[in-house]
Amino acid sequence: LAGTENGDIIQQLEYRISRLEKVLRFSNMITESGGKVFATNGKKADFDATVEKCREAGGSIASPRSSGENDAILHFVKYFNTYAYLGIKQSLIPGKFQFLNGAPLRYTNWYSNEPSGKGEE
């Protein structure tokens, strides 16, 4: 009986999560790519506040590793008509970039001569 009860609880939770995901997708607050969920609250914030909010939510700031992930982030940029922060920083080598954790970039999709903010982007 306990196994059946646990199964029912799990099924109910899966149903509620599925409904919540649909509502968030409908309101353009989440999208998915490659098994990763990308989310936003749609509010403006500075970089450090964005990193902290992502951490508080149990995630991390978006760091595109493929064209699909880049498109997921671009979805929010287009919908909210704004820029997005990425978990990328300039390395100690000028003109070279890396993820915030120091890992090297394997995927970029920047316009020619970008990023050009000289440390401000």
Side-chain angles (χ1 to χ4, degrees):
L1 182 62
T4 304
E5 285 179 20
N6 286 340
D8 290 345
I9 291 169
I10 291 170
Q11 190 174 24
Q12 289 172 10
L13 287 173
E14 288 174 343
Y15 174 73
R16 292 179 72 186
I17 290 169
S18 173
R19 287 183 57 204
L20 178 59
E21 284 181 345
K22 288 176 185 173
V23 168
L24 291 171
R25 282 185 211 287
F26 180 73
S27 61
N28 284 299
M29 302 306 264
I30 67 170
T31 189
E32 186 178 355
S33 177
K36 292 182 183 176
V37 175
F38 293 82
T40 184
N41 63 11
K43 297 178 183 176
K44 292 189 183 280
D46 65 31
F47 181 79
D48 292 331
T50 301
V51 170
E52 180 60 21
K53 283 290 181 191
C54 292
R55 188 192 63 73
E56 287 173 3
S60 61
I61 190 166
S63 303
R65 298 176 192 282
S66 68
S67 63
E69 292 180 12
N70 191 71
D71 289 345
I73 298 163
L74 188 58
H75 164 81
F76 297 129
V77 169
K78 289 179 178 179
Y79 182 78
F80 290 101
N81 192 29
T82 189
Y83 292 98
Y85 292 117
L86 300 176
I88 297 171
K89 66 180 181 177
Q90 186 163 293
S91 72
L92 296 175
I93 302 167
K96 298 288 182 182
F97 294 83
Q98 62 190 24
F99 292 109
L100 294 182
N101 66 5
L105 296 182
R106 305 252 188 262
Y107 169 83
T108 61
N109 187 30
W110 297 328
Y111 289 118
S112 181
N113 300 317
E114 293 291 346
S116 63
K118 297 177 178 60
E120 297 175 9
E121 289 183 281

